[in-house]
Amino acid sequence: MIELIVITAEHFFDGEPEMVHLLFENGLERLHLRKPYASFDETKHFMEQINRSFHPKIVLHDHYELADLFRVKGIHLNNRNYSGRSHSCRTQGPAAVSRSCHSFEELTTASEAEELEYVFLSPVFDSISKSGYKQGFTPDELRDARNRGIINERVFALGGITAERIPAVRAFGFGGVAVLGALWAGVTADRGRLPERFNELRIKCMGI
């Protein structure tokens, strides 16, 4: 069994809070709120539309000061925001801090940082949501990284993750997957498919 993380679509869309609620109600345990072009006020407004009982399952990619207003799970460090330690992170229990990595060298350095709960490695496969964002590692390189302990349970695969590819991700030694395009692509035109898509991903992560 590996963990499933959902990353939000880059831009807000009508009905998104309701769809996020639906994911949590269907068993989602961790949502990464990633809106790189959103302002502080826009992100705050979105959080206010989410039932407060779900806030402890949300990780912020931007505007870390919102962690002082909402009881979120934690923060995610990235190229836009590399340090979030200046914020007190009013979280449920210890703040979860994660980070994005794009090479084995970067991953090794990040994995040695005790303050990081987990890290993303991408792109493991060709991205679904980013055109031209090709896989950065061969299967042999991933297996070698697994055998050397570089890929372990603290490393989550990101990039091109689909339900069909989750068994391979598990075999490469990842502790989980982070999903974006496989869940959200085209979903605004057919919102009824969201629970079906999510449950397919969740079942694969459970190894069923």
Side-chain angles (χ1 to χ4, degrees):
M1 179 175 178
I2 59 176
E3 186 175 346
L4 172 62
I5 290 176
V6 169
I7 302 175
T8 62
E10 284 193 349
H11 301 281
F12 295 113
F13 58 87
D14 291 340
E16 187 174 9
E18 291 77 14
M19 297 180 81
V20 166
H21 284 159
L22 189 60
L23 291 175
F24 285 132
E25 290 163 0
N26 274 269
L28 178 64
E29 290 297 326
R30 197 179 307 239
L31 176 82
H32 275 234
L33 178 55
R34 180 182 179 273
K35 303 289 184 181
Y37 309 106
S39 67
F40 172 89
D41 288 339
E42 288 171 331
T43 307
K44 179 175 179 287
H45 178 63
F46 181 82
M47 286 294 299
E48 290 170 341
Q49 296 178 82
I50 302 299
N51 189 301
R52 69 177 60 187
S53 66
F54 296 135
H55 289 173
K57 298 183 178 184
I58 296 176
V59 175
L60 300 172
H61 276 232
D62 299 277
H63 307 299
Y64 299 149
E65 58 269 36
L66 288 171
D68 299 326
L69 302 177
F70 302 98
R71 201 175 185 184
V72 298
K73 177 70 175 178
I75 59 176
H76 183 81
L77 308 181
N78 49 62
N79 291 335
R80 297 185 308 280
N81 306 289
Y82 188 75
S83 177
R85 281 304 183 184
S86 60
H87 299 288
S88 59
C89 285
R90 180 175 168 269
T91 61
Q92 183 178 27
V97 180
S98 53
R99 177 185 161 188
S100 294
C101 297
H102 306 286
S103 69
F104 292 137
E105 292 76 17
E106 192 178 9
L107 180 60
T108 299
T109 300
S111 297
E112 292 172 352
E114 293 182 359
E115 72 272 15
L116 295 176
E117 180 176 316
Y118 56 95
V119 295
F120 290 167
L121 179 66
S122 69
V124 174
F125 302 105
D126 292 354
S127 176
I128 298 171
S129 60
K130 297 180 180 180
S131 178
Y133 196 44
K134 300 297 184 180
Q135 69 180 71
F137 317 93
T138 67
D140 284 344
E141 289 172 336
L142 292 171
R143 281 189 285 268
D144 180 64
R146 175 201 61 196
N147 295 339
R148 291 192 289 148
I150 296 173
I151 293 177
N152 54 47
E153 68 278 356
R154 293 176 61 192
V155 183
F156 283 57
L158 170 63
I161 303 300
T162 62
E164 292 75 20
R165 288 170 171 165
I166 288 175
V169 169
R170 187 165 48 243
F172 288 136
F174 288 94
V177 295
V179 176
L180 201 167
L183 185 66
W184 298 112
V187 77
T188 56
D190 187 5
R191 301 185 181 192
R193 293 188 61 197
L194 183 68
E196 177 186 347
R197 287 186 181 186
F198 174 73
N199 285 324
E200 184 179 9
L201 291 162
R202 186 173 61 87
I203 288 172
K204 288 290 186 178
C205 285
M206 294 172 63
I208 298 175

